[in-house]
Structures are given as structure tokens and as C-alpha cells.
Amino acid sequence: MSLLQLAVILTNVLSESLMMLRAIAPDLWVAEQPLKYFGLEVGTRMTVIRLNQDRLVIIAPIQLQDEMIEQLNQLGNVSDIVAPNLYHYLFLNQCKQKYPDAAVWATSGLREKCPDLLIDKILSDHAIQSFNGLEAAEIAGFNTLDIKGYAPLNEWVFFHAKSCTLIITDLAFHFDRQSSRSAQLISKVWGGYQQLRPSLLEKIATRDKEQVRQSLQPIFAWDFERVIMAHGSIIEQDGKRQFQLGYEWFLDA
């Protein structure tokens, strides 16, 4: 066997292992897969939470492989699939097709943006009461920069009190030595390397920072230690302080 063949095999094994569920805390799991954005390998992560009666909630689903589906089925019953913002929906329909009885929840505006998505319900303050064991808040006024210019994110964030975990998607990033070289490089250029915060692009695109500041108040009231985000390394300790510091920078005009 050549070194090239061995490298290919090892790469495939690594990719498969990334796309398996791994336990983070009691009733809390994550799974990752590679993902490029603007040509940068930023990876992406989904979160799975088990609520009462073995009810599983999937936040920001990634591509589901057969092995992962077997894992999920052993953990409980997938009852809810969440598209938490206007960007994390690529694998929403596939997840719904695998779990047709699950309710697909989406942030406001996603149904209009992507009419072909199999959306059942729209997230709202009232609807969040359906997730017994999770608290949630919507962040208003937060924009990102894409190929069309400034665009709203409409992101919902979640708090799992049992594990003291804040679950966000694109509200902040945390690229470090575990990230791809391209993600490390760009985060160093933007000044966010090894820091939990939005990127410079979001800071430029977000004009109404007072609206963001008001939306963040429920989050700052939560008692969380861990932060799980879609892109970057999970923060296991001191997450609340790091999140607050990141947003002090972001909200500074």
C-alpha cells in the first residue's frame, strides 16, 4: 500500500469519525462535518439534546449517515428538528425525510427564503414553551455579510440548564489551533483568533447594535459555563465571561 493510499484511507476514517455523535454532557451530544464557506474550511456542528420522555431535539442538522441515525435511534425519539437561523438549513429536508414524524421548526423568514424546505412550525416566544427543558431567545438586529451584501441572521439561541450550556450557531465563532489552517489564518487577520466572538464581517454589517444589545439581555441572565457553536472549538469552561467579552468588542461602535 502506498503512502497516498494510506493517506486517503486515514482521511476517510477521520471524516466518518467526525460525523458521529459524541457525548458532551448528560443528555447532550454534538456531531461535526467539514464545510466550506467563501472557500474557507470552517466546519459545521449540530447539537442533539434529550428532553423528558427520551425526546430528542436536533439543532442545526448536518448530513445524517447511517451510523449516526443508529446512534440517534438508540438515544431516543427524534421529535424536533430546528433551523435556528437563516443560513443553517442545508440538511434540513434530509433530516425531515429520515424522521418524518418530527416537527421541523424554523426561524422567521426561512420559509420565504427557501420555499422548498419542509418546515412545519415557525419559532416564536410562545412556541419555545414546547421545548420543556430548554430556554431560548431570538437575537434581533444582528446582520452578517454574504455575496448579496448585508443580510439578517434571525438567530435563535438555546440554553440547556441541566448541563449549563449555551447553544449558538453563527452568533459567535471560536477558531483556534484545532481549526483548519484557513480558518486560523482568517481569524488572525480579523483579530478573533482564540476568542469567542462574531467576526469583523458581522460587526461591519450590523448597524443597529442597540437592538442587539437588548436582545442579548436574556442570554446574559442565563447561568452557563459551556458554549457550543456551529463553527470552531467548543468552550468548556468560563464560556459566559468569554461570550460577554466578545460582545463588548462587537457592540463597541
Short mmCIF file of all heavy atoms in Angstrom, two decimals, residues 37-39 87 89 113 144-151 201-202 205:
data_model
loop_
_atom_site.label_atom_id
_atom_site.label_comp_id
_atom_site.label_asym_id
_atom_site.label_seq_id
_atom_site.Cartn_x
_atom_site.Cartn_y
_atom_site.Cartn_z
N TYR A 37 -17.01 27.77 3.52
CA TYR A 37 -17.79 29.00 3.36
C TYR A 37 -16.85 30.06 2.80
O TYR A 37 -15.81 30.34 3.40
CB TYR A 37 -18.39 29.44 4.69
CG TYR A 37 -19.34 30.60 4.58
CD1 TYR A 37 -20.57 30.47 3.95
CD2 TYR A 37 -19.01 31.85 5.10
CE1 TYR A 37 -21.45 31.53 3.84
CE2 TYR A 37 -19.88 32.93 5.00
CZ TYR A 37 -21.10 32.75 4.36
OH TYR A 37 -21.98 33.82 4.25
N PHE A 38 -17.21 30.63 1.63
CA PHE A 38 -16.32 31.57 0.95
C PHE A 38 -14.95 30.94 0.72
O PHE A 38 -13.92 31.62 0.79
CB PHE A 38 -16.18 32.87 1.73
CG PHE A 38 -17.37 33.79 1.63
CD1 PHE A 38 -17.77 34.52 2.73
CD2 PHE A 38 -18.09 33.92 0.46
CE1 PHE A 38 -18.87 35.37 2.66
CE2 PHE A 38 -19.19 34.77 0.37
CZ PHE A 38 -19.58 35.50 1.46
N GLY A 39 -14.92 29.63 0.47
CA GLY A 39 -13.67 28.94 0.20
C GLY A 39 -12.87 28.56 1.43
O GLY A 39 -11.82 27.92 1.32
N TYR A 87 -29.35 30.61 7.76
CA TYR A 87 -28.25 30.04 6.99
C TYR A 87 -28.06 28.54 7.22
O TYR A 87 -27.54 27.85 6.34
CB TYR A 87 -26.94 30.78 7.29
CG TYR A 87 -26.89 32.13 6.63
CD1 TYR A 87 -27.49 33.24 7.22
CD2 TYR A 87 -26.26 32.31 5.40
CE1 TYR A 87 -27.46 34.48 6.60
CE2 TYR A 87 -26.24 33.54 4.78
CZ TYR A 87 -26.85 34.63 5.38
OH TYR A 87 -26.83 35.86 4.77
N TYR A 89 -29.61 25.46 7.04
CA TYR A 89 -30.77 24.69 6.59
C TYR A 89 -30.41 23.67 5.50
O TYR A 89 -31.29 22.99 4.99
CB TYR A 89 -31.85 25.64 6.04
CG TYR A 89 -31.38 26.50 4.89
CD1 TYR A 89 -31.34 26.02 3.58
CD2 TYR A 89 -30.93 27.81 5.11
CE1 TYR A 89 -30.90 26.80 2.53
CE2 TYR A 89 -30.48 28.60 4.07
CZ TYR A 89 -30.46 28.10 2.78
OH TYR A 89 -30.02 28.87 1.74
N LYS A 113 -37.49 32.53 2.30
CA LYS A 113 -36.19 32.44 1.63
C LYS A 113 -36.05 31.14 0.85
O LYS A 113 -35.51 31.13 -0.26
CB LYS A 113 -35.07 32.53 2.68
CG LYS A 113 -33.67 32.44 2.09
CD LYS A 113 -32.60 32.56 3.19
CE LYS A 113 -31.19 32.47 2.59
NZ LYS A 113 -30.14 32.58 3.65
N THR A 144 -25.20 39.68 9.01
CA THR A 144 -23.96 39.12 8.50
C THR A 144 -23.74 39.66 7.10
O THR A 144 -24.60 40.35 6.54
CB THR A 144 -23.98 37.59 8.52
OG1 THR A 144 -22.66 37.10 8.21
CG2 THR A 144 -24.98 37.04 7.52
N LEU A 145 -22.60 39.35 6.54
CA LEU A 145 -22.25 39.84 5.20
C LEU A 145 -22.10 38.63 4.28
O LEU A 145 -21.27 37.76 4.52
CB LEU A 145 -20.95 40.64 5.25
CG LEU A 145 -20.61 41.51 4.05
CD1 LEU A 145 -21.65 42.59 3.84
CD2 LEU A 145 -19.23 42.15 4.23
N ASP A 146 -22.94 38.56 3.24
CA ASP A 146 -22.80 37.47 2.27
C ASP A 146 -22.63 38.07 0.88
O ASP A 146 -22.38 39.28 0.73
CB ASP A 146 -23.99 36.51 2.35
CG ASP A 146 -25.32 37.17 2.00
OD1 ASP A 146 -25.33 38.26 1.39
OD2 ASP A 146 -26.37 36.59 2.33
N ILE A 147 -22.74 37.23 -0.15
CA ILE A 147 -22.46 37.70 -1.52
C ILE A 147 -23.46 38.76 -1.99
O ILE A 147 -23.20 39.49 -2.94
CB ILE A 147 -22.45 36.52 -2.50
CG1 ILE A 147 -23.79 35.76 -2.46
CG2 ILE A 147 -21.31 35.58 -2.20
CD1 ILE A 147 -23.89 34.65 -3.48
N LYS A 148 -24.61 38.86 -1.31
CA LYS A 148 -25.62 39.84 -1.69
C LYS A 148 -25.51 41.13 -0.88
O LYS A 148 -26.26 42.07 -1.12
CB LYS A 148 -27.02 39.25 -1.52
CG LYS A 148 -27.29 38.06 -2.43
CD LYS A 148 -28.69 37.51 -2.22
CE LYS A 148 -28.96 36.32 -3.11
NZ LYS A 148 -30.32 35.75 -2.89
N GLY A 149 -24.59 41.14 0.08
CA GLY A 149 -24.45 42.31 0.93
C GLY A 149 -24.89 42.03 2.35
O GLY A 149 -24.79 40.90 2.83
N TYR A 150 -25.41 43.04 3.04
CA TYR A 150 -25.85 42.87 4.42
C TYR A 150 -27.10 41.98 4.44
O TYR A 150 -28.01 42.17 3.65
CB TYR A 150 -26.19 44.21 5.07
CG TYR A 150 -25.03 45.19 5.12
CD1 TYR A 150 -25.26 46.55 5.23
CD2 TYR A 150 -23.71 44.75 5.08
CE1 TYR A 150 -24.20 47.46 5.27
CE2 TYR A 150 -22.66 45.64 5.12
CZ TYR A 150 -22.91 46.99 5.22
OH TYR A 150 -21.86 47.87 5.26
N ALA A 151 -27.14 41.04 5.38
CA ALA A 151 -28.28 40.13 5.47
C ALA A 151 -28.55 39.80 6.93
O ALA A 151 -27.61 39.57 7.70
CB ALA A 151 -28.01 38.86 4.67
N LEU A 201 -16.77 40.84 9.90
CA LEU A 201 -17.82 41.00 8.89
C LEU A 201 -19.17 41.29 9.53
O LEU A 201 -19.92 42.15 9.07
CB LEU A 201 -17.92 39.74 8.02
CG LEU A 201 -16.70 39.40 7.16
CD1 LEU A 201 -16.98 38.15 6.35
CD2 LEU A 201 -16.34 40.57 6.25
N GLU A 202 -19.48 40.57 10.62
CA GLU A 202 -20.75 40.82 11.32
C GLU A 202 -20.74 42.18 12.01
O GLU A 202 -21.77 42.87 12.06
CB GLU A 202 -21.02 39.71 12.36
CG GLU A 202 -21.52 38.41 11.77
CD GLU A 202 -20.39 37.60 11.16
OE1 GLU A 202 -19.32 37.49 11.81
OE2 GLU A 202 -20.57 37.10 10.02
N ALA A 205 -21.46 44.66 9.30
CA ALA A 205 -22.81 44.54 8.73
C ALA A 205 -23.91 44.93 9.69
O ALA A 205 -25.00 45.31 9.27
CB ALA A 205 -23.04 43.11 8.25
#
